[in-house]
Amino acid sequence: MQLHLDIAWSHLRTRRRQTVASLLGVVLGVAFFLAVSSLMRGSELDFIARLVDSTPHITVSDEFRDPTVQPALLRHPAGAVSVLHVKPLTERRGIRQYKRRLEQIDAIPGLRAAPVLAGQVIFSFAGRDEAITLSGIEPARMRDVTTIEKDIVAGSLGAIDVDPNGLIIGRSLARKLSLAMGDTVSVVSPVGNVRVMRIVGLFHTGRAVYDETQGFAQLARVQALLNRPNVANTIITRLEDPYAARATAAHIERMTGYKSVSWQEASEDILSTLMVRNVIMYTVVGAILLVASFGIYNVISSVIMEKTRDIAILKSMGFRAGDIELIFLIEGLVVGAAGSVLGFLAGSGLMWVTGQVRLTVPGESDPVNLPVYWGWSQFALAMLFAMLSALAATYLPARRGARLAPVAILRGAA
Amino acid sequence: MSAILVARDLTRTLPGEVPVTLVHDVSLTINRGEFVVIKGPSGSGKSSLLYLLGLLDQPTSGTLTLEGEDTTGFDEDQLAATRLAKLGFVFQFHFLLAEFSAFDNVRLPMRRLDRLADDIQRRRAMELLHDLGLVGHEHKRPSQLSGGQRQRVAIARALANDPPIILTDEPTGALDSKSSSNVKDILKELVRTRDRTVIAVTHDDHFAAGADRQVEIIDGRLV
Ligand SMILES: Nc1ncnc2c1ncn2[C@@H]1O[C@H](COP(=O)(O)OP(=O)(O)OP(=O)(O)O)[C@@H](O)[C@H]1O
Ligand SMILES: [Mg+2]
């Protein structure tokens, strides 16, 4: 083996310019692979982190996956008569006995839950009417489940516990309605209740629509406003392990009967878009490495063409076809491996530079650094790609070289 | 005297639209320690016969027995293994690996055979180079050596695994007369002092005169 390495090395060393050129191909391939993949993976993870961060991991809502079977249908389950146009019983919407449900769900280890009663209301201020989604929350539970507290820019989340008429709205909405901290606003509910409430907090999440249409108030206050005492319409939860959401959601649904949607289910379209994006990305960066592998193919082929004489020497000496093949395979692998390592350095440089770029993304008001993923798995993947393409590029010429008959070369040379 | 190499009806035909027969029904027995010269006009098939005897080429028909072992039906790897251990070649052009020093070229067959410990291989390579008058040239590349010196390195390499048979194809063809006689002396010496079988293809009548036996080939047939 050492012997094969020595011979392989001698070929590469004396063909320095070609070797360097093919090496450069691999280095660039690996570096671009890393730069592109780190950015794609980084933005994906960043996106998922935001998603996981900003949406409840599981949302238990006052709905059922299957419509409730109506009594009229239960009456004749297998009858010849089919009852059409059944009007469902008027039901009081909302999670019934939400406190018990909440306790039940909260008892699941690694999970925190918060009740929410959300409803549409109208803000009336200075002659303007704005439709707002007002969520009744319990601040103590809410701060464990969502990141809203971190987005508070004035006042505090707890202020609505202190002031039962307290209201927290988005900074953009406040600006739009020329409302400031401490100002009062009339809140009108669909059932006709009117309440004068006071701004005790402002938040800013960076999501424009959310910031302009969301408001928070005390759960009890919203229940009163909407005439829905002791009712919540969603229970939102946060898990220590966000990736357990699917299983836990199924568990909650079995336990409570209420539709429980994990964040993955809620974002299935986005997640599958991300997957398509990954497929495209790996195709593109794979193509870069494919091009690089032509460089390797070129160098090994030309080494073999120049070295037919050496092949004859070695074979006449008693080297086997397998020895010759191994020598050239080593050459390809050395280029692949050295290219990978240098590509790691160049790629890390590119990744670092990319990570320094700051830009403002649509829907975000603050400039952010491009998210760059530094995980080892993509380095391993880049190396794997590089080695495989190096091997593939070397294999054919190596076999061809190994099969050269020494006499054919001797006859030609002598 | 025991036969070391027995060829029976060796025929080698190159396939093609017009098949060319390079070697025709050659039968030849060569004894251990014998110095045999193959003569003949240019294009008569001397090299082709030597390739067959040296297991570099496979006969279309006929058999070749080496040290009592019938090589018919040997696969590529068996042929290679036999060449490695039992045969040494010296060709007209030196055929050294350009990137390796004289010393490293001589070590190549020993390293491939891997029968001796590394330090013994090194010592043996040095001894061979010194025997062939290459003291002080051990670490030069082929390009830094003269034609005669290169050919002596090639001989040292052919001897590296101590093979019983040495085959040479006009080893002095590319050398000036002084280096040429020097190389020839070395080959003769080999036969005389080391009990080695040498099969040499040559045009050189003077060199041929020193052989135990001369065989002549014309149009692929022994005469
Ligand atoms: N690939 C080939 N195709 C056709 N004919 C060939 C081929 N190789 C060799 N020959 C022919 O085979 C014959 C024998 O060639 P060989 O090299 O064995 O001769 P030689 O006796 O060694 O000649 P020289 O003294 O010039 O080296 C020649 O007539 C040559 O033209
Ligand atoms: Mg010839």
PDB file of all heavy atoms in Angstrom, chain A residues 3 6 10 14 307 309-310 313 315-318 323 407 410-411, chain B residues 22 51 56-57 77 80 83-84 89 95 97 99-100 108 111-112 157:
ATOM      1  N   LEU A   3       3.774   1.438  -1.083  1.00  0.00           N
ATOM      2  CA  LEU A   3       4.395   1.467  -2.408  1.00  0.00           C
ATOM      3  C   LEU A   3       3.465   2.138  -3.415  1.00  0.00           C
ATOM      4  O   LEU A   3       3.874   3.003  -4.190  1.00  0.00           O
ATOM      5  CB  LEU A   3       4.695   0.027  -2.834  1.00  0.00           C
ATOM      6  CG  LEU A   3       5.232  -0.193  -4.234  1.00  0.00           C
ATOM      7  CD1 LEU A   3       6.533   0.563  -4.427  1.00  0.00           C
ATOM      8  CD2 LEU A   3       5.449  -1.682  -4.482  1.00  0.00           C
ATOM      9  N   ASP A   6       3.351   5.774  -2.794  1.00  0.00           N
ATOM     10  CA  ASP A   6       4.559   6.452  -3.274  1.00  0.00           C
ATOM     11  C   ASP A   6       4.491   6.706  -4.769  1.00  0.00           C
ATOM     12  O   ASP A   6       4.833   7.793  -5.241  1.00  0.00           O
ATOM     13  CB  ASP A   6       5.796   5.588  -2.974  1.00  0.00           C
ATOM     14  CG  ASP A   6       6.180   5.638  -1.506  1.00  0.00           C
ATOM     15  OD1 ASP A   6       5.526   6.403  -0.759  1.00  0.00           O
ATOM     16  OD2 ASP A   6       7.106   4.912  -1.101  1.00  0.00           O
ATOM     17  N   SER A  10       4.197  10.249  -6.666  1.00  0.00           N
ATOM     18  CA  SER A  10       5.205  10.702  -7.626  1.00  0.00           C
ATOM     19  C   SER A  10       4.533  11.221  -8.899  1.00  0.00           C
ATOM     20  O   SER A  10       4.991  12.195  -9.497  1.00  0.00           O
ATOM     21  CB  SER A  10       6.178   9.570  -7.955  1.00  0.00           C
ATOM     22  OG  SER A  10       5.585   8.642  -8.844  1.00  0.00           O
ATOM     23  N   THR A  14       4.894  15.276  -9.926  1.00  0.00           N
ATOM     24  CA  THR A  14       5.604  15.719 -11.121  1.00  0.00           C
ATOM     25  C   THR A  14       4.664  16.360 -12.131  1.00  0.00           C
ATOM     26  O   THR A  14       5.108  16.917 -13.117  1.00  0.00           O
ATOM     27  CB  THR A  14       6.318  14.543 -11.801  1.00  0.00           C
ATOM     28  OG1 THR A  14       5.384  13.487 -11.960  1.00  0.00           O
ATOM     29  CG2 THR A  14       7.473  14.060 -10.953  1.00  0.00           C
ATOM     30  N   LYS A 307       1.662   7.965 -18.908  1.00  0.00           N
ATOM     31  CA  LYS A 307       2.340   6.948 -18.114  1.00  0.00           C
ATOM     32  C   LYS A 307       2.148   5.532 -18.644  1.00  0.00           C
ATOM     33  O   LYS A 307       2.360   4.581 -17.899  1.00  0.00           O
ATOM     34  CB  LYS A 307       1.847   7.015 -16.656  1.00  0.00           C
ATOM     35  CG  LYS A 307       2.337   8.246 -15.926  1.00  0.00           C
ATOM     36  CD  LYS A 307       3.838   8.202 -15.780  1.00  0.00           C
ATOM     37  CE  LYS A 307       4.378   9.479 -15.169  1.00  0.00           C
ATOM     38  NZ  LYS A 307       5.850   9.525 -15.249  1.00  0.00           N
ATOM     39  N   ARG A 309       3.967   3.997 -20.526  1.00  0.00           N
ATOM     40  CA  ARG A 309       5.281   3.380 -20.446  1.00  0.00           C
ATOM     41  C   ARG A 309       5.540   2.854 -19.036  1.00  0.00           C
ATOM     42  O   ARG A 309       5.991   1.714 -18.855  1.00  0.00           O
ATOM     43  CB  ARG A 309       6.298   4.453 -20.812  1.00  0.00           C
ATOM     44  CG  ARG A 309       7.635   4.001 -21.207  1.00  0.00           C
ATOM     45  CD  ARG A 309       8.438   5.300 -21.460  1.00  0.00           C
ATOM     46  NE  ARG A 309       9.836   5.071 -21.166  1.00  0.00           N
ATOM     47  CZ  ARG A 309      10.734   4.800 -22.119  1.00  0.00           C
ATOM     48  NH1 ARG A 309      10.374   4.714 -23.370  1.00  0.00           N
ATOM     49  NH2 ARG A 309      11.999   4.623 -21.790  1.00  0.00           N
ATOM     50  N   ASP A 310       5.193   3.685 -18.039  1.00  0.00           N
ATOM     51  CA  ASP A 310       5.364   3.244 -16.653  1.00  0.00           C
ATOM     52  C   ASP A 310       4.485   2.044 -16.347  1.00  0.00           C
ATOM     53  O   ASP A 310       4.868   1.153 -15.590  1.00  0.00           O
ATOM     54  CB  ASP A 310       4.995   4.370 -15.676  1.00  0.00           C
ATOM     55  CG  ASP A 310       6.098   5.409 -15.594  1.00  0.00           C
ATOM     56  OD1 ASP A 310       6.903   5.464 -16.540  1.00  0.00           O
ATOM     57  OD2 ASP A 310       6.141   6.151 -14.588  1.00  0.00           O
ATOM     58  N   ILE A 313       6.231  -0.866 -17.619  1.00  0.00           N
ATOM     59  CA  ILE A 313       7.369  -1.202 -16.744  1.00  0.00           C
ATOM     60  C   ILE A 313       6.877  -1.961 -15.518  1.00  0.00           C
ATOM     61  O   ILE A 313       7.363  -3.041 -15.181  1.00  0.00           O
ATOM     62  CB  ILE A 313       8.097   0.078 -16.260  1.00  0.00           C
ATOM     63  CG1 ILE A 313       8.650   0.861 -17.440  1.00  0.00           C
ATOM     64  CG2 ILE A 313       9.196  -0.287 -15.277  1.00  0.00           C
ATOM     65  CD1 ILE A 313       9.239   2.211 -17.041  1.00  0.00           C
ATOM     66  N   LYS A 315       4.050  -3.457 -14.952  1.00  0.00           N
ATOM     67  CA  LYS A 315       3.442  -4.760 -15.223  1.00  0.00           C
ATOM     68  C   LYS A 315       4.489  -5.798 -15.587  1.00  0.00           C
ATOM     69  O   LYS A 315       4.398  -6.951 -15.147  1.00  0.00           O
ATOM     70  CB  LYS A 315       2.403  -4.634 -16.341  1.00  0.00           C
ATOM     71  CG  LYS A 315       1.068  -4.104 -15.844  1.00  0.00           C
ATOM     72  CD  LYS A 315       0.017  -4.346 -16.886  1.00  0.00           C
ATOM     73  CE  LYS A 315      -1.341  -4.546 -16.246  1.00  0.00           C
ATOM     74  NZ  LYS A 315      -2.347  -4.854 -17.270  1.00  0.00           N
ATOM     75  N   SER A 316       5.494  -5.411 -16.385  1.00  0.00           N
ATOM     76  CA  SER A 316       6.509  -6.397 -16.742  1.00  0.00           C
ATOM     77  C   SER A 316       7.283  -6.815 -15.497  1.00  0.00           C
ATOM     78  O   SER A 316       7.718  -7.943 -15.358  1.00  0.00           O
ATOM     79  CB  SER A 316       7.454  -5.841 -17.804  1.00  0.00           C
ATOM     80  OG  SER A 316       8.218  -4.791 -17.255  1.00  0.00           O
ATOM     81  N   MET A 317       7.379  -5.888 -14.557  1.00  0.00           N
ATOM     82  CA  MET A 317       8.068  -6.176 -13.303  1.00  0.00           C
ATOM     83  C   MET A 317       7.276  -7.153 -12.446  1.00  0.00           C
ATOM     84  O   MET A 317       7.821  -7.781 -11.555  1.00  0.00           O
ATOM     85  CB  MET A 317       8.196  -4.854 -12.564  1.00  0.00           C
ATOM     86  CG  MET A 317       9.420  -4.665 -11.738  1.00  0.00           C
ATOM     87  SD  MET A 317       9.215  -3.109 -10.877  1.00  0.00           S
ATOM     88  CE  MET A 317       9.675  -1.961 -12.121  1.00  0.00           C
ATOM     89  N   GLY A 318       5.980  -7.243 -12.695  1.00  0.00           N
ATOM     90  CA  GLY A 318       5.172  -8.168 -11.916  1.00  0.00           C
ATOM     91  C   GLY A 318       4.047  -7.501 -11.134  1.00  0.00           C
ATOM     92  O   GLY A 318       3.424  -8.119 -10.286  1.00  0.00           O
ATOM     93  N   ASP A 323      -2.990  -3.597  -8.942  1.00  0.00           N
ATOM     94  CA  ASP A 323      -2.027  -2.640  -8.381  1.00  0.00           C
ATOM     95  C   ASP A 323      -2.084  -1.328  -9.139  1.00  0.00           C
ATOM     96  O   ASP A 323      -2.087  -0.251  -8.544  1.00  0.00           O
ATOM     97  CB  ASP A 323      -0.598  -3.193  -8.502  1.00  0.00           C
ATOM     98  CG  ASP A 323      -0.376  -4.418  -7.625  1.00  0.00           C
ATOM     99  OD1 ASP A 323      -0.785  -4.380  -6.463  1.00  0.00           O
ATOM    100  OD2 ASP A 323       0.205  -5.408  -8.126  1.00  0.00           O
ATOM    101  N   VAL A 407       2.684  -5.827 -23.474  1.00  0.00           N
ATOM    102  CA  VAL A 407       3.300  -6.024 -24.791  1.00  0.00           C
ATOM    103  C   VAL A 407       2.859  -4.984 -25.790  1.00  0.00           C
ATOM    104  O   VAL A 407       3.650  -4.553 -26.620  1.00  0.00           O
ATOM    105  CB  VAL A 407       2.967  -7.398 -25.416  1.00  0.00           C
ATOM    106  CG1 VAL A 407       4.113  -8.343 -25.214  1.00  0.00           C
ATOM    107  CG2 VAL A 407       1.665  -7.923 -24.952  1.00  0.00           C
ATOM    108  N   LEU A 410       5.034  -2.180 -25.107  1.00  0.00           N
ATOM    109  CA  LEU A 410       6.425  -2.470 -25.450  1.00  0.00           C
ATOM    110  C   LEU A 410       6.609  -2.461 -26.963  1.00  0.00           C
ATOM    111  O   LEU A 410       7.580  -1.928 -27.474  1.00  0.00           O
ATOM    112  CB  LEU A 410       6.830  -3.839 -24.887  1.00  0.00           C
ATOM    113  CG  LEU A 410       6.951  -3.906 -23.362  1.00  0.00           C
ATOM    114  CD1 LEU A 410       7.144  -5.338 -22.904  1.00  0.00           C
ATOM    115  CD2 LEU A 410       8.112  -3.040 -22.897  1.00  0.00           C
ATOM    116  N   ARG A 411       5.675  -3.048 -27.673  1.00  0.00           N
ATOM    117  CA  ARG A 411       5.778  -3.083 -29.140  1.00  0.00           C
ATOM    118  C   ARG A 411       5.762  -1.673 -29.686  1.00  0.00           C
ATOM    119  O   ARG A 411       6.504  -1.345 -30.592  1.00  0.00           O
ATOM    120  CB  ARG A 411       4.613  -3.861 -29.752  1.00  0.00           C
ATOM    121  CG  ARG A 411       4.782  -5.347 -29.613  1.00  0.00           C
ATOM    122  CD  ARG A 411       3.936  -6.088 -30.649  1.00  0.00           C
ATOM    123  NE  ARG A 411       4.053  -7.512 -30.416  1.00  0.00           N
ATOM    124  CZ  ARG A 411       3.102  -8.245 -29.858  1.00  0.00           C
ATOM    125  NH1 ARG A 411       1.963  -7.699 -29.514  1.00  0.00           N
ATOM    126  NH2 ARG A 411       3.293  -9.527 -29.650  1.00  0.00           N
TER     127      ARG A 411
ATOM    128  N   LEU B  22       3.150 -13.932 -35.487  1.00  0.00           N
ATOM    129  CA  LEU B  22       4.457 -13.391 -35.106  1.00  0.00           C
ATOM    130  C   LEU B  22       5.432 -14.515 -34.804  1.00  0.00           C
ATOM    131  O   LEU B  22       6.619 -14.422 -35.097  1.00  0.00           O
ATOM    132  CB  LEU B  22       4.313 -12.506 -33.866  1.00  0.00           C
ATOM    133  CG  LEU B  22       3.245 -11.412 -33.910  1.00  0.00           C
ATOM    134  CD1 LEU B  22       3.173 -10.692 -32.571  1.00  0.00           C
ATOM    135  CD2 LEU B  22       3.560 -10.413 -35.014  1.00  0.00           C
ATOM    136  N   TYR B  51       8.770 -12.069 -25.451  1.00  0.00           N
ATOM    137  CA  TYR B  51       7.598 -11.713 -24.640  1.00  0.00           C
ATOM    138  C   TYR B  51       6.829 -12.966 -24.227  1.00  0.00           C
ATOM    139  O   TYR B  51       6.303 -13.046 -23.119  1.00  0.00           O
ATOM    140  CB  TYR B  51       6.659 -10.768 -25.406  1.00  0.00           C
ATOM    141  CG  TYR B  51       7.285  -9.432 -25.788  1.00  0.00           C
ATOM    142  CD1 TYR B  51       6.828  -8.728 -26.888  1.00  0.00           C
ATOM    143  CD2 TYR B  51       8.310  -8.880 -25.030  1.00  0.00           C
ATOM    144  CE1 TYR B  51       7.388  -7.508 -27.247  1.00  0.00           C
ATOM    145  CE2 TYR B  51       8.883  -7.660 -25.391  1.00  0.00           C
ATOM    146  CZ  TYR B  51       8.426  -6.989 -26.493  1.00  0.00           C
ATOM    147  OH  TYR B  51       8.983  -5.797 -26.837  1.00  0.00           O
ATOM    148  N   LEU B  56       4.999 -12.179 -20.749  1.00  0.00           N
ATOM    149  CA  LEU B  56       4.387 -10.864 -20.947  1.00  0.00           C
ATOM    150  C   LEU B  56       3.249 -10.970 -21.946  1.00  0.00           C
ATOM    151  O   LEU B  56       2.367 -10.128 -21.983  1.00  0.00           O
ATOM    152  CB  LEU B  56       5.425  -9.870 -21.469  1.00  0.00           C
ATOM    153  CG  LEU B  56       6.419  -9.358 -20.445  1.00  0.00           C
ATOM    154  CD1 LEU B  56       7.558  -8.613 -21.134  1.00  0.00           C
ATOM    155  CD2 LEU B  56       5.722  -8.440 -19.449  1.00  0.00           C
ATOM    156  N   ASP B  57       3.310 -12.014 -22.768  1.00  0.00           N
ATOM    157  CA  ASP B  57       2.286 -12.211 -23.776  1.00  0.00           C
ATOM    158  C   ASP B  57       1.856 -13.670 -23.688  1.00  0.00           C
ATOM    159  O   ASP B  57       2.607 -14.520 -23.223  1.00  0.00           O
ATOM    160  CB  ASP B  57       2.868 -11.892 -25.158  1.00  0.00           C
ATOM    161  CG  ASP B  57       1.775 -11.640 -26.188  1.00  0.00           C
ATOM    162  OD1 ASP B  57       0.601 -11.515 -25.786  1.00  0.00           O
ATOM    163  OD2 ASP B  57       2.103 -11.573 -27.380  1.00  0.00           O
ATOM    164  N   ASP B  77      -3.238 -12.352 -12.993  1.00  0.00           N
ATOM    165  CA  ASP B  77      -2.588 -12.175 -11.702  1.00  0.00           C
ATOM    166  C   ASP B  77      -1.519 -13.235 -11.458  1.00  0.00           C
ATOM    167  O   ASP B  77      -0.463 -12.950 -10.892  1.00  0.00           O
ATOM    168  CB  ASP B  77      -3.639 -12.216 -10.583  1.00  0.00           C
ATOM    169  CG  ASP B  77      -4.456 -10.929 -10.532  1.00  0.00           C
ATOM    170  OD1 ASP B  77      -4.120 -10.006 -11.296  1.00  0.00           O
ATOM    171  OD2 ASP B  77      -5.415 -10.872  -9.742  1.00  0.00           O
ATOM    172  N   ALA B  80       1.443 -12.309 -13.477  1.00  0.00           N
ATOM    173  CA  ALA B  80       2.153 -11.193 -12.851  1.00  0.00           C
ATOM    174  C   ALA B  80       2.978 -11.694 -11.669  1.00  0.00           C
ATOM    175  O   ALA B  80       4.138 -11.310 -11.501  1.00  0.00           O
ATOM    176  CB  ALA B  80       1.155 -10.131 -12.405  1.00  0.00           C
ATOM    177  N   ARG B  83       6.026 -13.439 -12.967  1.00  0.00           N
ATOM    178  CA  ARG B  83       7.025 -12.479 -13.454  1.00  0.00           C
ATOM    179  C   ARG B  83       7.762 -11.832 -12.294  1.00  0.00           C
ATOM    180  O   ARG B  83       8.967 -11.661 -12.317  1.00  0.00           O
ATOM    181  CB  ARG B  83       6.343 -11.375 -14.280  1.00  0.00           C
ATOM    182  CG  ARG B  83       5.854 -11.805 -15.638  1.00  0.00           C
ATOM    183  CD  ARG B  83       5.615 -10.598 -16.535  1.00  0.00           C
ATOM    184  NE  ARG B  83       4.556  -9.707 -16.073  1.00  0.00           N
ATOM    185  CZ  ARG B  83       3.279  -9.825 -16.431  1.00  0.00           C
ATOM    186  NH1 ARG B  83       2.905 -10.793 -17.252  1.00  0.00           N
ATOM    187  NH2 ARG B  83       2.373  -8.984 -15.980  1.00  0.00           N
ATOM    188  N   LEU B  84       6.987 -11.517 -11.251  1.00  0.00           N
ATOM    189  CA  LEU B  84       7.557 -10.799 -10.117  1.00  0.00           C
ATOM    190  C   LEU B  84       8.650 -11.624  -9.438  1.00  0.00           C
ATOM    191  O   LEU B  84       9.708 -11.106  -9.093  1.00  0.00           O
ATOM    192  CB  LEU B  84       6.439 -10.472  -9.115  1.00  0.00           C
ATOM    193  CG  LEU B  84       6.839  -9.658  -7.888  1.00  0.00           C
ATOM    194  CD1 LEU B  84       7.302  -8.273  -8.313  1.00  0.00           C
ATOM    195  CD2 LEU B  84       5.669  -9.548  -6.918  1.00  0.00           C
ATOM    196  N   PHE B  89      13.504  -8.488 -16.386  1.00  0.00           N
ATOM    197  CA  PHE B  89      13.605  -7.997 -17.766  1.00  0.00           C
ATOM    198  C   PHE B  89      14.566  -6.822 -17.865  1.00  0.00           C
ATOM    199  O   PHE B  89      14.593  -5.961 -16.982  1.00  0.00           O
ATOM    200  CB  PHE B  89      12.238  -7.520 -18.266  1.00  0.00           C
ATOM    201  CG  PHE B  89      11.228  -8.614 -18.384  1.00  0.00           C
ATOM    202  CD1 PHE B  89      10.381  -8.919 -17.331  1.00  0.00           C
ATOM    203  CD2 PHE B  89      11.136  -9.365 -19.555  1.00  0.00           C
ATOM    204  CE1 PHE B  89       9.442  -9.931 -17.439  1.00  0.00           C
ATOM    205  CE2 PHE B  89      10.204 -10.378 -19.660  1.00  0.00           C
ATOM    206  CZ  PHE B  89       9.354 -10.666 -18.605  1.00  0.00           C
ATOM    207  N   PHE B  95      13.742   2.068 -19.425  1.00  0.00           N
ATOM    208  CA  PHE B  95      12.497   1.751 -18.727  1.00  0.00           C
ATOM    209  C   PHE B  95      12.581   1.842 -17.215  1.00  0.00           C
ATOM    210  O   PHE B  95      12.174   0.935 -16.495  1.00  0.00           O
ATOM    211  CB  PHE B  95      12.014   0.350 -19.132  1.00  0.00           C
ATOM    212  CG  PHE B  95      11.080   0.397 -20.311  1.00  0.00           C
ATOM    213  CD1 PHE B  95      11.221   1.357 -21.288  1.00  0.00           C
ATOM    214  CD2 PHE B  95      10.047  -0.523 -20.437  1.00  0.00           C
ATOM    215  CE1 PHE B  95      10.361   1.409 -22.378  1.00  0.00           C
ATOM    216  CE2 PHE B  95       9.175  -0.481 -21.513  1.00  0.00           C
ATOM    217  CZ  PHE B  95       9.343   0.484 -22.493  1.00  0.00           C
ATOM    218  N   LEU B  97      11.434   4.192 -13.801  1.00  0.00           N
ATOM    219  CA  LEU B  97      10.440   5.207 -13.448  1.00  0.00           C
ATOM    220  C   LEU B  97      11.177   6.529 -13.246  1.00  0.00           C
ATOM    221  O   LEU B  97      12.076   6.627 -12.408  1.00  0.00           O
ATOM    222  CB  LEU B  97       9.696   4.826 -12.168  1.00  0.00           C
ATOM    223  CG  LEU B  97       8.804   3.594 -12.219  1.00  0.00           C
ATOM    224  CD1 LEU B  97       7.911   3.548 -10.976  1.00  0.00           C
ATOM    225  CD2 LEU B  97       7.932   3.579 -13.471  1.00  0.00           C
ATOM    226  N   GLU B  99      10.449   9.332 -11.921  1.00  0.00           N
ATOM    227  CA  GLU B  99      10.326  10.109 -10.681  1.00  0.00           C
ATOM    228  C   GLU B  99      11.082   9.487  -9.519  1.00  0.00           C
ATOM    229  O   GLU B  99      11.160  10.075  -8.450  1.00  0.00           O
ATOM    230  CB  GLU B  99       8.854  10.236 -10.267  1.00  0.00           C
ATOM    231  CG  GLU B  99       7.979  10.997 -11.234  1.00  0.00           C
ATOM    232  CD  GLU B  99       7.388  10.113 -12.302  1.00  0.00           C
ATOM    233  OE1 GLU B  99       7.712   8.903 -12.325  1.00  0.00           O
ATOM    234  OE2 GLU B  99       6.610  10.626 -13.136  1.00  0.00           O
ATOM    235  N   PHE B 100      11.588   8.260  -9.732  1.00  0.00           N
ATOM    236  CA  PHE B 100      12.245   7.560  -8.635  1.00  0.00           C
ATOM    237  C   PHE B 100      13.751   7.540  -8.847  1.00  0.00           C
ATOM    238  O   PHE B 100      14.219   7.453  -9.979  1.00  0.00           O
ATOM    239  CB  PHE B 100      11.703   6.122  -8.535  1.00  0.00           C
ATOM    240  CG  PHE B 100      10.323   6.040  -7.949  1.00  0.00           C
ATOM    241  CD1 PHE B 100       9.219   6.467  -8.669  1.00  0.00           C
ATOM    242  CD2 PHE B 100      10.116   5.530  -6.673  1.00  0.00           C
ATOM    243  CE1 PHE B 100       7.948   6.390  -8.139  1.00  0.00           C
ATOM    244  CE2 PHE B 100       8.839   5.453  -6.136  1.00  0.00           C
ATOM    245  CZ  PHE B 100       7.752   5.878  -6.866  1.00  0.00           C
ATOM    246  N   LEU B 108      11.805  -1.232  -6.154  1.00  0.00           N
ATOM    247  CA  LEU B 108      10.406  -1.466  -6.543  1.00  0.00           C
ATOM    248  C   LEU B 108       9.982  -2.941  -6.542  1.00  0.00           C
ATOM    249  O   LEU B 108       8.993  -3.288  -5.886  1.00  0.00           O
ATOM    250  CB  LEU B 108      10.126  -0.851  -7.918  1.00  0.00           C
ATOM    251  CG  LEU B 108       9.897   0.653  -7.972  1.00  0.00           C
ATOM    252  CD1 LEU B 108       9.818   1.119  -9.421  1.00  0.00           C
ATOM    253  CD2 LEU B 108       8.610   1.013  -7.248  1.00  0.00           C
ATOM    254  N   ARG B 111       9.843  -4.345  -3.031  1.00  0.00           N
ATOM    255  CA  ARG B 111       8.722  -3.824  -2.228  1.00  0.00           C
ATOM    256  C   ARG B 111       7.420  -4.483  -2.653  1.00  0.00           C
ATOM    257  O   ARG B 111       6.571  -4.795  -1.813  1.00  0.00           O
ATOM    258  CB  ARG B 111       8.618  -2.304  -2.397  1.00  0.00           C
ATOM    259  CG  ARG B 111       9.793  -1.580  -1.779  1.00  0.00           C
ATOM    260  CD  ARG B 111       9.668  -0.083  -1.979  1.00  0.00           C
ATOM    261  NE  ARG B 111       8.558   0.475  -1.204  1.00  0.00           N
ATOM    262  CZ  ARG B 111       8.164   1.734  -1.301  1.00  0.00           C
ATOM    263  NH1 ARG B 111       8.774   2.556  -2.144  1.00  0.00           N
ATOM    264  NH2 ARG B 111       7.164   2.174  -0.563  1.00  0.00           N
ATOM    265  N   ARG B 112       7.272  -4.712  -3.966  1.00  0.00           N
ATOM    266  CA  ARG B 112       6.035  -5.338  -4.415  1.00  0.00           C
ATOM    267  C   ARG B 112       5.952  -6.785  -3.946  1.00  0.00           C
ATOM    268  O   ARG B 112       4.908  -7.247  -3.516  1.00  0.00           O
ATOM    269  CB  ARG B 112       5.926  -5.272  -5.944  1.00  0.00           C
ATOM    270  CG  ARG B 112       4.646  -5.894  -6.509  1.00  0.00           C
ATOM    271  CD  ARG B 112       3.438  -5.129  -5.986  1.00  0.00           C
ATOM    272  NE  ARG B 112       2.172  -5.809  -6.253  1.00  0.00           N
ATOM    273  CZ  ARG B 112       1.663  -6.758  -5.475  1.00  0.00           C
ATOM    274  NH1 ARG B 112       2.314  -7.166  -4.396  1.00  0.00           N
ATOM    275  NH2 ARG B 112       0.506  -7.302  -5.768  1.00  0.00           N
ATOM    276  N   ARG B 157      17.752  -3.696 -11.129  1.00  0.00           N
ATOM    277  CA  ARG B 157      16.345  -3.876 -10.785  1.00  0.00           C
ATOM    278  C   ARG B 157      15.847  -5.255 -11.222  1.00  0.00           C
ATOM    279  O   ARG B 157      15.095  -5.911 -10.509  1.00  0.00           O
ATOM    280  CB  ARG B 157      15.490  -2.792 -11.440  1.00  0.00           C
ATOM    281  CG  ARG B 157      14.066  -2.793 -10.928  1.00  0.00           C
ATOM    282  CD  ARG B 157      13.241  -1.724 -11.575  1.00  0.00           C
ATOM    283  NE  ARG B 157      13.143  -1.953 -13.004  1.00  0.00           N
ATOM    284  CZ  ARG B 157      12.642  -1.062 -13.870  1.00  0.00           C
ATOM    285  NH1 ARG B 157      12.222   0.095 -13.438  1.00  0.00           N
ATOM    286  NH2 ARG B 157      12.584  -1.344 -15.142  1.00  0.00           N
TER     287      ARG B 157
END
